[in-house]
Amino acid sequence: MTHAAADVYDPVRSAGSPHLRAAHVLEDNWTGTSTVPSRGLYPHQWSWDSAFIAIGLRHLSPLRAQTELETLLGAQWGDGRIPHIVFNPSVPLDAYFPSPDFWRSSTAGRAAGAPRTVQTSGIVQPPVHALAAWLVHQADPGLSRARSFLTRMYPRLAAWHRYLLHRRDLGGGGLASVVHPWEQGMDNSPCWDAPLSRITPAPPRTFRRADLDHGSAEDRPTDLDYGRYVRLATDYRDGGYADGDRAGAGGGRFAVEDPAFNALLIASEHALAAIARELGAAGTARHARAERLTAALVERLWDPAEGMFFCRDVYGGGESGALGAERRSLSGDRTSGPHSQSGALRVEQCSQSGAHEAEQCSRSGDRAAERLAQSGGREGEPPSQSGAHEAERRLRSGAHRTERRSPGGALIPERSVAGLLPLILPALPRDIATTLVRTAGGPHFGLGGVARLVPSYDLTGHAFDPRRYWRGPAWFNTNWLLERGLRLHGEHGRAQELRAALLETADASGFAEYVDPYTGEACGALGFSWTAALTLDLLHEPSGADQVVSRPGRDAFDTAQGAAPPGTPPDGTAPRGSFETGAKGGDRG
């Protein structure tokens, strides 16, 4: 950045700056239509990686940020799911496992509407995409409108959310379930140990662990866990990627409601409301749905005794151990009955009339906004808002604590960073937000204290390891989300401290995939895309001033990358950048 023109991206005169180093990482990992997480270890396009990458790219090139999301959503399935990997056909099959010939998306996923012209995986990842699309639009609204970016994205994002809210409500309580640890993104978290213990692992001879070509076994999942990952994915594939009762072993033996996954879904519902307003609709139905989901999140996953959210094992038994004992002693008979009932049984949270009206409003709003997005007209959402007002009143008054849904399943007594991430939600009750901040700063996570960055797992936990994949190391995307949540709830001092630690650690570690939470020592891949992208985002003012790079500077960056001129929509047929690689992949699915 130059002193005279501080809003122009100038790679010559800003040599040595963190901005330039982060931008170079994204340049190196750009394929022509998307960004790989890491050239060697992860040589394809990953779903939630691309969402975070687009959030950072918007500061360099809103055009390329839009293209990142458009490429990903171009591989969306007919049932609405966004696959967690979009495979690059230029990469050899043996460069990554599981490869396209394992997932067999175009054949095994035919009934679910898998695309025929591109190979993908069959599972999903956390729904950050609508939030990313809205932030990318805000970076350059003129370019976004000229390219009809949101008009084209909205129907796809709405279908994605419908898939999660309807096909994946496996617990019957309104929240989305993941059917594989890879879907939640925190692949090797101790949260999965108990539900995975029910899975018979695939025989070792049926797969080869390519991830061990890039790291020591001590830092990776165990052979036993990896065999269970493969078994789950194989069964899900062989069941035609069907969800619910028809899913067979893949979707029936492992289903977990995760607080981070659902918090990101709720945050993206709020973003979809903003997108609907931009397209001429009111957005009230989306906000009402987001607040109902927030109430369900609190109802099903919040533990007041522990001061944080926990994962729920949908097919697990009654709660056990210290967590269950503390909950029962504090709540009396509140949790004694529901566990003996079916997970599908629902005791409505709002009054029946209010919930019904809000649902009708939501469905009508979906239809209206989708017609709007497809036609480009100015159609508004229905005027009835009483359901939404009732949901909001009940959430803020604490009615969700007395009119209970049947929890179903069992909370998993493992403290993960996922249990802190609902802090990103604007409608989270104030007392819960305050408690989450206190928990984050306590001995289990060390925010602002013993830990440089918030770890992925409890510092005092039995399974903690500062280097083992998602069992202790600190990750930049989760800390970026926490920084955002702290600012949202008025914790500006803590947010600023975390922001400074993130920026220092990202640059010093070579934009590592993850780091030791105590020392900041680099772990995993270096030159990792979402680390670089979120560094760029944090380098901008926390107030939300995103226009650091001027239009001329962005044009220069786009031209240097060979991008199409502004206003040119992608035709979906542009070839991906080819590259030679002998790398063998990791274990992100």
Side-chain angles (χ1 to χ4, degrees):
M1 310 300 291
T2 66
H3 179 73
D7 62 346
V8 175
Y9 179 75
D10 185 351
V12 176
R13 299 174 67 180
S14 59
S17 73
H19 285 86
L20 182 63
R21 287 192 288 272
H24 279 168
V25 169
L26 298 178
E27 290 177 38
D28 291 343
N29 291 340
W30 176 245
T31 71
T33 55
S34 65
T35 310
V36 299
S38 165
R39 279 285 178 178
L41 189 57
Y42 306 121
H44 301 286
Q45 184 179 25
W46 262 260
S47 174
W48 76 325
D49 290 72
S50 278
F52 288 121
I53 290 165
I55 288 170
L57 274 177
R58 67 192 171 123
H59 302 299
L60 296 178
S61 168
L63 174 61
R64 205 171 104 186
Q66 292 176 29
T67 302
E68 184 80 36
L69 295 174
E70 289 162 348
T71 301
L72 178 67
L73 269 67
Q76 186 173 24
W77 290 28
D79 63 3
R81 83 181 74 193
I82 297 175
H84 96 299
I85 302 176
V86 181
F87 289 106
N88 185 338
S90 300
V91 176
L93 284 178
D94 65 351
Y96 188 84
F97 179 84
S99 55
D101 56 344
F102 172 87
W103 295 104
R104 306 171 198 165
S105 61
S106 59
T107 54
R110 186 174 302 159
R116 296 184 179 181
T117 57
V118 63
Q119 294 297 311
T120 75
S121 65
I123 58 175
V124 302
Q125 275 190 324
V128 199
H129 311 89
L131 174 61
W134 178 241
L135 293 176
V136 167
H137 163 79
Q138 288 182 303
D140 194 334
L143 176 67
S144 175
R145 291 168 188 145
R147 300 183 70 249
S148 301
F149 172 66
L150 293 182
T151 301
R152 289 181 289 111
M153 290 293 101
Y154 184 90
R156 291 182 176 274
L157 293 169
W160 167 223
H161 285 210
R162 276 199 306 275
Y163 167 78
L164 293 173
L165 292 169
H166 295 286
R167 302 288 185 90
R168 288 299 190 89
D169 183 10
L170 303 180
L175 300 181
S177 293
V178 297
V179 299
H180 195 291
W182 289 337
E183 290 198 313
Q184 192 264 0
M186 304 179 193
D187 309 2
N188 194 38
S189 170
C191 295
W192 316 130
D193 291 353
L196 274 178
S197 68
R198 299 192 297 268
I199 308 303
T200 302
R205 66 181 180 277
T206 62
F207 63 91
R208 189 184 75 83
R209 290 199 58 180
D211 63 306
L212 297 183
D213 294 344
H214 290 273
S216 66
E218 290 76 19
D219 294 344
R220 312 301 292 182
T222 65
D223 289 341
L224 180 62
D225 282 341
Y226 207 92
R228 287 166 169 156
Y229 299 155
V230 173
R231 170 70 72 183
L232 275 176
T234 301
D235 289 347
Y236 194 41
R237 177 199 67 199
D238 293 348
Y241 297 111
D243 297 304
D245 293 337
R246 295 180 299 159
R253 293 187 297 168
F254 185 100
V256 175
E257 295 172 354
D258 174 76
F261 191 100
N262 281 280
L264 289 168
L265 175 59
I266 296 166
S268 281
E269 270 294 308
H270 284 297
L272 272 184
I275 293 172
R277 288 197 304 271
E278 166 67 21
L279 296 176
T284 52
R286 291 281 176 193
H287 280 309
R289 176 179 291 169
E291 294 196 352
R292 291 199 311 277
L293 288 169
T294 302
L297 184 75
V298 171
E299 171 62 26
R300 293 182 65 80
L301 306 184
W302 173 249
D303 187 273
E306 298 293 330
M308 64 181 298
F309 291 85
F310 289 87
C311 294
R312 181 171 292 279
D313 181 359
V314 171
Y315 298 115
E319 294 170 289
S320 60
L323 175 63
E326 285 188 33
R327 284 176 57 85
R328 286 190 291 273
S329 66
L330 287 171
S331 59
D333 62 355
R334 286 174 55 193
T335 58
S336 59
H339 293 295
S340 63
Q341 303 176 40
S342 166
L345 178 63
R346 299 178 62 183
V347 179
E348 289 301 329
Q349 206 162 332
C350 304
S351 66
Q352 294 294 325
S353 59
H356 176 74
E357 189 169 357
E359 179 65 18
Q360 294 301 313
C361 175
S362 177
R363 290 177 179 174
S364 299
D366 279 353
R367 290 193 294 269
E370 286 178 37
R371 288 196 300 270
L372 163 71
Q374 292 167 357
S375 66
R378 290 296 176 187
E379 183 175 351
E381 289 185 334
S384 173
Q385 301 180 31
S386 59
H389 289 164
E390 174 68 8
E392 180 178 3
R393 183 188 68 78
R394 289 180 172 275
L395 175 63
R396 296 192 181 281
S397 67
H400 61 280
R401 297 179 183 175
T402 57
E403 297 179 333
R404 298 180 60 82
R405 297 176 189 266
S406 168
L411 291 182
I412 300 171
E414 298 286 1
R415 297 178 181 90
S416 160
V417 69
L420 304 177
L421 294 187
L423 200 62
I424 66 174
L425 301 179
L428 197 67
R430 180 172 298 179
D431 61 326
I432 291 180
T434 300
T435 302
L436 279 178
V437 173
R438 185 166 59 248
T439 300
H444 299 295
F445 295 98
L447 173 65
V450 296
R452 178 174 297 194
L453 295 178
V454 175
S456 51
Y457 176 69
D458 182 1
L459 293 169
T460 69
H462 68 97
F464 174 78
D465 187 319
R467 297 183 62 90
R468 200 175 185 93
Y469 206 64
W470 287 110
R471 300 178 84 86
W475 292 71
F476 291 90
N477 63 329
T478 55
N479 277 267
W480 178 86
L481 288 166
L482 283 174
E483 191 271 348
R484 190 177 182 89
L486 289 168
R487 280 193 285 115
L488 176 66
H489 291 282
E491 296 284 343
H492 298 291
R494 291 177 184 265
Q496 181 61 26
E497 290 178 4
L498 181 56
R499 175 175 174 265
L502 275 165
L503 290 173
E504 179 185 358
T505 306
D507 195 26
S509 70
F511 303 100
E513 183 180 2
Y514 53 97
V515 297
D516 183 306
Y518 290 118
T519 67
E521 181 184 356
C523 304
L526 300 182
F528 201 71
S529 289
W530 79 24
T531 304
L534 297 178
T535 295
L536 287 171
D537 192 63
L538 290 169
L539 284 168
H540 291 72
E541 288 300 318
S543 63
D546 293 328
Q547 300 288 346
V548 170
V549 184
S550 70
R551 179 71 262 165
R554 289 167 176 162
D555 288 342
F557 185 87
D558 293 338
T559 301
Q561 300 308 307
T568 304
D571 60 10
T573 61
R576 292 172 176 269
S578 62
F579 55 91
E580 297 298 325
T581 174
K584 309 300 179 183
D587 67 322
R588 307 180 91 210

